[in-house]
Amino acid sequence: MEQYIIRGGNPLVGEVEISGAKNAALGILAAAIMTDDTVQIENLPNVRDINVLLEAMESIGVEVERLSSHSVRMNSAHIGEVSVDYEYIKKIRASYYLIGALLGKYKRAKVPLPGGCNIGSRPIDLHLKGFKLLGAKVTIRNGFIIAEAEHLHSAHIFLDTVSVGATINIMMAAAMAEGYTVIENCAREPHVVDVANFLNSMGANIKGAGTDVIRIRGVQKLHGTEYPIIPDQIEAGTFMFAAAATKGDVMVKNVIPKHLEATTAKLLEIGCEVEEFDNAVRVVASKRLGSTNVKTLPYPGYPTDMQPQIGVTLALAKGTSIVTESIFENRFKYMDELARMGANVRVEGNTAIITGVEKLEGARVSAPDLRAGAALVIAALAAEGISTIDDIVYIQRGYEEFEEKLKSLGAEIERVNSEKEAQKFILRIS
Ligand code: EPZ
């Protein structure tokens, strides 16, 4: 089982390049099957979730040509069937984007129901509600979602909860429905906008992405395109907090500062210096940081995917902070691991009360999910002594070359996959 071995205490200093946005790429790759022309996608992040989705697409007949680790050319003219195997949806929930894409193009789709997830139950009732309102018959049989329609027609859809996945999935199906569809109470995340821009580059007619009302005039056909994915604002924010927690000085490059506003505001509030450039931000933390209160909200509010990263940083801040997780019901599991490093934290329902301590101590901890795993790496980098992090496969799902990028900033971190390798590295750094 692969682990990270980390010796904390070094401030992170230097420059780091951010990769393409995983959550934009997952929607865009699925949407790419909606044309029979060839599509080329650039700036793909080379992470496990993307590679698994590409395998799932190949399994239904999409021709995938990897041009490099960050670009791919695809052709979906010969999709043999519209049923995606369970093994793929088990590996990544976002395979469910294939429902909206297949339904939009072929008016039928058969995809396994996504299971639960480490951070919450994550139902997809709103996705299915949207498909039904567009005219699809949706049934669930033997663990599969089967959606089919004679034809898809216009609809006026109100999403009960702001949902990134439902917004993207319904937008894809509506892009090739007849008539004029309005989706209200939409998610406004940058990756929703990126998927809409991608579909429009294929000839779709989508307006309002990035606001809470998206208006779509369906089209009969979509054509090929070449498209670069936007930078990953969550990867960027993760490195911004790594700089803050280790009292470092990091230039985070290849970002869109506007997408980072909530993160930047919080870093400034707790005492960091943050300097914005056209496509970079510089984070400097020279003194012990202060406490703050934060509540996760849909974009442009403070992102839930950045909640563990601020949580571990506040564990070292001066004073008491309150973190409220309003999106998912089980996103504080990392707090138990943090307590094992000496943090003074208490979780009550969807709120964590964090009383800052002077220092954290290295310990053996386990990554409970993707973002919490990355946050525990930040905690280990800020802690004194040596930490071992188990279950880092979660982290590799969404962070490209995570340890290499951290090493380039001065972190003492090694990925090992045996006790022997771990011992060797520990001896070397002790
Ligand atoms: C996307 O998940 C992201 N994943 C998540 O990032 C992110 O945390 C989340 O959006 C919120 O920003 C991808 O984009 C692949 P939601 P998604 O639908 O679409 C409820 C990461 O770390 N809901 O916006 O699944 C849901 O339970 C991952 O990269 C329903 O009730 O999130 C949640 O409470 C983790 N019914 C809330 O809405 C539905 O039909 C927001 O979920 C759909 C969602």
Side-chain angles (χ1 to χ4, degrees):
M1 173 87 78
E2 288 193 319
Q3 301 165 311
Y4 282 143
I5 311 290
I6 294 169
R7 184 167 74 163
N10 300 1
L12 296 188
V13 177
E15 297 187 347
V16 64
E17 281 279 340
I18 297 304
S19 302
K22 165 181 82 85
N23 292 346
L26 291 168
I28 286 170
L29 288 176
I33 71 168
M34 297 180 79
T35 174
D36 285 344
D37 295 348
T38 296
V39 170
Q40 186 162 324
I41 310 287
E42 303 292 341
N43 200 33
L44 271 178
N46 183 17
V47 295
R48 187 175 163 278
D49 275 11
I50 295 301
N51 298 325
V52 169
L53 183 59
L54 287 169
E55 285 165 26
M57 294 167 69
E58 282 183 302
S59 75
I60 61 171
V62 177
E63 288 160 37
V64 173
E65 183 193 350
R66 295 301 296 252
L67 304 174
S68 76
S69 52
H70 298 120
S71 67
V72 68
R73 193 178 288 145
M74 298 180 289
N75 185 284
S76 305
H78 307 292
I79 284 184
E81 69 144 81
V82 294
S83 172
V84 179
D85 280 350
Y86 175 68
E87 64 168 297
Y88 296 112
I89 202 110
K90 196 171 66 174
K91 287 178 187 165
I92 53 157
R93 296 171 42 78
S95 313
Y96 59 37
Y97 282 144
L98 292 169
I99 306 173
L102 291 166
L103 185 62
K105 183 182 182 186
Y106 300 106
K107 309 303 180 260
R108 59 195 171 87
K110 183 181 174 192
V111 177
L113 259 176
C117 174
N118 300 340
I119 59 176
S121 64
R122 301 180 77 178
I124 62 164
D125 55 309
L126 298 176
H127 302 233
L128 307 186
K129 168 184 170 182
F131 299 145
K132 286 176 191 162
L133 287 170
L134 288 167
K137 179 167 162 285
V138 179
T139 49
I140 292 177
R141 250 201 327 271
N142 308 107
F144 276 86
I145 301 161
I146 299 150
E148 42 206 351
E150 282 305 303
H151 70 277
L152 295 176
H153 54 64
S154 61
H156 194 131
I157 300 164
F158 187 89
L159 295 177
D160 312 56
T161 313
V162 175
S163 160
V164 167
T167 303
I168 290 176
N169 231 343
I170 297 165
M171 183 167 71
M172 284 192 284
M176 294 185 81
E178 286 159 27
Y180 186 65
T181 292
V182 177
I183 313 171
E184 305 235 24
N185 198 26
C186 296
R188 299 162 54 187
E189 272 73 0
H191 32 294
V192 172
V193 177
D194 212 24
V195 176
N197 290 342
F198 171 72
L199 284 164
N200 284 339
S201 79
M202 293 164 78
N205 184 337
I206 299 170
K207 294 186 171 46
T211 74
D212 60 353
V213 183
I214 295 179
R215 302 171 195 286
I216 302 162
R217 187 165 292 288
V219 294
Q220 295 278 330
K221 242 170 115 58
L222 293 171
H223 55 68
T225 184
E226 276 193 36
Y227 194 85
I229 306 282
I230 54 167
D232 193 317
Q233 80 272 13
I234 303 301
E235 184 196 11
T238 303
F239 279 97
M240 292 165 76
F241 272 103
T246 59
K247 296 198 186 64
D249 177 349
V250 176
M251 180 73 85
V252 183
K253 299 171 73 174
N254 187 29
V255 300
I256 299 172
K258 173 113 188 81
H259 293 168
L260 298 165
E261 283 180 339
T263 298
T264 298
K266 278 300 170 192
L267 286 167
L268 289 168
E269 203 177 308
I270 61 177
C272 294
E273 295 157 52
V274 183
E275 200 179 347
E276 289 186 357
F277 303 88
D278 285 349
N279 57 3
V281 287
R282 181 178 176 194
V283 177
V284 183
S286 47
K287 59 186 186 331
R288 187 177 183 196
L289 299 171
S291 60
T292 183
N293 297 330
V294 61
K295 178 175 183 180
T296 63
L297 288 168
Y299 190 86
Y302 189 86
T304 176
D305 290 349
M306 291 296 298
Q307 181 263 94
Q309 295 90 324
I310 195 167
V312 301
T313 303
L314 294 172
L316 284 165
K318 194 164 180 297
T320 297
S321 304
I322 296 178
V323 177
T324 307
E325 172 55 61
S326 74
I327 307 287
F328 290 112
E329 62 268 31
N330 193 12
R331 206 161 196 177
F332 283 127
K333 278 196 295 198
Y334 70 95
M335 287 291 184
D336 292 337
E337 303 297 302
L338 202 53
R340 302 181 60 243
M341 299 175 80
N344 180 350
V345 293
R346 198 170 76 250
V347 175
E348 292 179 1
N350 69 342
T351 299
I353 298 103
I354 303 168
T355 305
V357 293
E358 293 273 344
K359 67 179 174 65
L360 293 173
E361 290 165 352
R364 180 157 183 176
V365 294
S366 162
D369 60 69
L370 165 57
R371 304 302 174 186
L376 288 171
V377 169
I378 294 175
L381 292 169
E384 286 181 5
I386 291 172
S387 298
T388 300
I389 300 187
D390 292 335
D391 302 322
I392 61 170
V393 64
Y394 284 114
I395 302 174
Q396 278 133 30
R397 294 186 51 177
Y399 288 93
E400 179 175 346
E401 298 190 341
F402 195 44
E403 66 272 12
E404 288 85 349
K405 291 184 179 184
L406 287 168
K407 270 185 201 165
S408 73
L409 295 171
E412 287 189 87
I413 178 172
E414 196 74 20
R415 185 183 352 174
V416 298
N417 51 23
S418 72
E419 235 8 83
K420 192 158 148 284
E421 262 191 78
Q423 287 316 318
K424 236 164 68 182
F425 179 68
I426 289 170
L427 273 176
R428 201 163 78 228
I429 60 173
S430 301

